[in-house]
Amino acid sequence: MSETFPPGFLWGTATAAYQIEGAPQENGRTPSIWDVFSHTPGKTANGDTGDLAVDHFHRRAEDVRLMADLGLNAYRFSVSWPRVQPTGRGPAVQRGLDFYRALVDDLLAHGIEPVLTLYHWDLPQELESAGGWPERETAYRFAEYARVVGEALGDRVERWTTLNEPWCSAFLGYGSGVHAPGRTDPVAALRAAHHLNLGHGLATQALRAVLPARAQISVSLNPACVRARTQAPEDLNARRRIDALANRVFSGPMLAGAYPEDLFADTARLTDWSFVHAGDAAVARQPLDSLGINYYQPAVVSAAGEGDTERHDGHGGGDHSPWPGADDIAFHRPPGELTDMGWSVDPTGLYDLLLRYTREAPGLPLYITENGAAYEDKPAADGSVHDPDRIRYLHGHLSAVRRAIGDGADVRGYFLWSLMDNFEWAYGYDQRFGAVHVDFETQRRTPKSSARWYAKVAATGELPEPPVG
Ligand code: IFM
């Protein structure tokens, strides 16, 4: 089978504002929930914060040049909400928008297509103090923010994404509390999920109203490829339940205009879902131009038995589960090789998801908006950084993408997570996902061998032979 990708395929990398920008107080930016959370003792590894991150706010031009040198034709980044709308409401701060205007202009000048995400987890703290995503009002604030950014950048950005991984915002932010704002309330997590769905729908409407007709609007989900440990009915039921909490809670409203009934039944002990108003799910279902899929590893679940005490869902430790009402379900470490995050390397999960959404959302083009791996990459004596594990990881996953395309999936692009090493949320600077190495002391950038390898794939549109070893 050919390992050639379709013409026009987007080859990009992805980042997020809080993970790379730094400059937390510049030009009137106010704290986001991640500033507050990372400054709270005990919340991140080593007490790391995004105060400096990788100083992208001041090194924007150098970072765009890096991408251009690699010959990549797309770049997915996020806008920091508190940088452009510091209180989470009202008119935008022009100086905040100027940064993104300059970034986009730089990208376009280098032939790199900007792919803008509105929300990659950095809610203005002021909105969290008013209740955050568990409150309906936040969805309306998000729509207003979308309109403001749309008006400002719609003349030069064609590709828009509303939310990145709303599952993490809702369930890690309000359920397990391992992400900002660090709340541990299962009902708040479900309410947040709903208001993210509603916010996505309202923001899409707001964008359509201000963007030119050529604009393309999408959302990036991190669907779980959930596998049952055995075919026993109780394990299959565990799979169904986690599929509802991980996937259908978002894809139901966003793609089909309705919540899955089994999700309501499974969580009835916790809530009657009366925060879902008539018509909300229909608002969440807006015509989209594509669907973004972020994939890292599959999940293996079963009904919990004795001894299933360790959590292997890949979402950090902590005393609280991110899975409301599912304490009787166990997650098992998937078999096979692991990355430094302890996540398994299994491209078949990506293949399965691409075919699933091809079936469930026929006609909707797919983009892999994140995929990548963390390894402890250290510079050699001559300063070069070799990361053969990442090359193998990328080869395996790109090969799975190619196979999915061959089997009918309409995949139009791939965004490697991440352009460069950065602030990996609760893991701080301990985990390196970048294709470009960053020395966190000096901020020196060094493309790793995986960056060169990926550049070659992007230039030729072909996968070379699998790396040996
Ligand atoms: O770094 C994150 C990113 O912000 C969202 N998706 C997963 C990545 C790796 O954990």
Side-chain angles (χ1 to χ4, degrees):
M1 191 185 61
S2 156
E3 292 276 86
T4 304
F5 286 81
F9 200 79
L10 288 190
W11 294 101
T13 57
T15 62
Y18 190 71
Q19 293 181 274
I20 63 166
E21 284 181 3
Q25 282 154 13
E26 225 141 317
N27 293 340
R29 182 188 178 281
T30 57
S32 76
I33 53 175
W34 266 98
D35 294 277
V36 173
F37 184 78
S38 65
H39 279 270
T40 307
K43 297 298 186 191
T44 64
N46 322 304
D48 290 344
T49 73
D51 282 1
L52 179 58
V54 291
D55 199 26
H56 171 72
F57 189 79
H58 299 111
R59 292 166 194 262
R60 183 203 79 232
E62 176 189 352
D63 292 338
V64 173
R65 268 198 310 275
L66 264 174
M67 291 180 237
D69 286 349
L70 294 171
L72 302 175
N73 62 9
Y75 174 53
R76 175 174 178 254
F77 64 96
S78 79
V79 172
S80 159
W81 188 344
R83 199 179 287 294
V84 306
Q85 209 188 26
T87 59
R89 61 187 77 235
V93 167
Q94 285 310 317
R95 284 171 309 167
L97 283 169
D98 284 347
F99 170 74
Y100 297 104
R101 274 202 196 95
L103 171 64
V104 167
D105 288 350
D106 244 12
L107 291 166
L108 292 171
H110 285 90
I112 301 170
E113 170 121 32
V115 180
L116 183 155
T117 298
L118 285 165
Y119 187 71
H120 198 127
W121 308 352
D122 46 0
L123 187 71
Q125 177 59 38
E126 202 161 318
L127 293 186
E128 172 58 22
S129 303
W133 285 109
E135 293 308 317
R136 191 174 177 86
E137 177 62 13
T138 304
Y140 293 97
R141 299 276 56 82
F142 181 58
E144 183 188 59
Y145 159 66
R147 179 177 57 72
V148 163
V149 182
E151 282 168 349
L153 299 176
D155 59 342
R156 57 200 86 189
V157 175
E158 284 190 18
R159 295 174 185 272
W160 294 76
T161 302
T162 55
L163 303 171
N164 179 70
E165 301 184 357
W167 186 87
C168 297
S169 300
F171 295 100
L172 301 182
Y174 294 93
S176 69
V178 299
H179 277 190
R183 286 204 243 164
T184 54
D185 172 353
V187 177
L190 294 171
R191 292 175 62 101
H194 175 59
H195 297 130
L196 284 153
N197 280 323
L198 181 63
H200 158 78
L202 293 168
T204 304
Q205 289 176 338
L207 287 175
R208 292 271 184 229
V210 298
L211 294 179
R214 65 173 187 278
Q216 301 194 30
I217 304 180
S218 184
V219 61
S220 286
L221 303 178
N222 56 322
C225 173
V226 193
R227 292 173 175 162
R229 186 170 59 164
T230 76
Q231 294 304 299
E234 56 276 21
D235 291 352
L236 294 174
N237 194 40
R239 181 180 69 186
R240 177 196 61 71
R241 286 168 58 197
I242 294 302
D243 182 54
L245 282 168
N247 301 328
R248 291 181 287 119
V249 61
F250 297 108
S251 63
M254 287 185 188
L255 302 180
Y259 278 97
E261 284 301 327
D262 60 330
L263 173 70
F264 288 166
D266 291 344
T267 52
R269 265 185 311 114
L270 297 171
T271 174
D272 62 4
W273 288 78
S274 53
F275 49 85
V276 179
H277 297 183
D280 281 1
V283 171
R285 183 199 195 184
Q286 294 298 315
L288 295 176
D289 299 295
S290 64
L291 177 66
I293 291 182
N294 296 359
Y295 171 78
Y296 291 89
Q297 65 164 351
V300 180
V301 300
S302 73
E306 269 175 47
D308 285 330
T309 48
E310 244 191 288
R311 218 173 53 231
H312 288 292
D313 62 6
H315 299 294
D319 298 334
H320 300 269
S321 162
W323 305 102
D327 289 343
D328 55 338
I329 293 176
F331 285 76
H332 304 276
R333 192 186 284 292
E337 196 190 317
L338 302 179
T339 69
D340 278 14
M341 290 288 280
W343 294 351
S344 72
V345 180
D346 186 350
T348 66
L350 179 55
Y351 172 88
D352 288 354
L353 285 173
L354 292 173
L355 282 233
R356 172 179 179 169
Y357 287 98
T358 297
R359 283 190 305 274
E360 290 187 8
L364 198 59
L366 303 175
Y367 288 83
I368 291 115
T369 40
E370 281 185 29
N371 176 237
Y375 293 108
E376 197 191 347
D377 309 309
K378 290 203 178 104
D382 65 357
S384 60
V385 186
H386 297 291
D387 55 345
D389 290 341
R390 185 171 289 99
I391 295 179
R392 266 194 305 280
Y393 180 99
L394 294 176
H395 188 282
H397 286 78
L398 285 170
S399 195
V401 175
R402 189 62 198 82
R403 192 159 67 87
I405 293 172
D407 291 344
D410 183 8
V411 185
R412 307 264 180 103
Y414 177 92
F415 292 79
L416 189 165
W417 185 270
S418 179
L419 170 65
M420 52 194 164
D421 297 334
N422 58 47
F423 175 76
E424 177 51 28
W425 308 113
Y427 296 87
Y429 298 96
D430 283 356
Q431 297 288 336
R432 293 179 176 273
F433 273 93
V436 172
H437 181 271
V438 179
D439 178 327
F440 295 127
E441 295 298 314
T442 63
Q443 295 297 334
R444 186 186 154 86
R445 277 87 160 125
T446 308
K448 304 177 189 176
S449 41
S450 64
R452 305 275 172 223
W453 181 90
Y454 184 56
K456 213 178 285 171
V457 177
T460 58
E462 281 184 27
L463 266 188
E465 287 299 303
V468 278

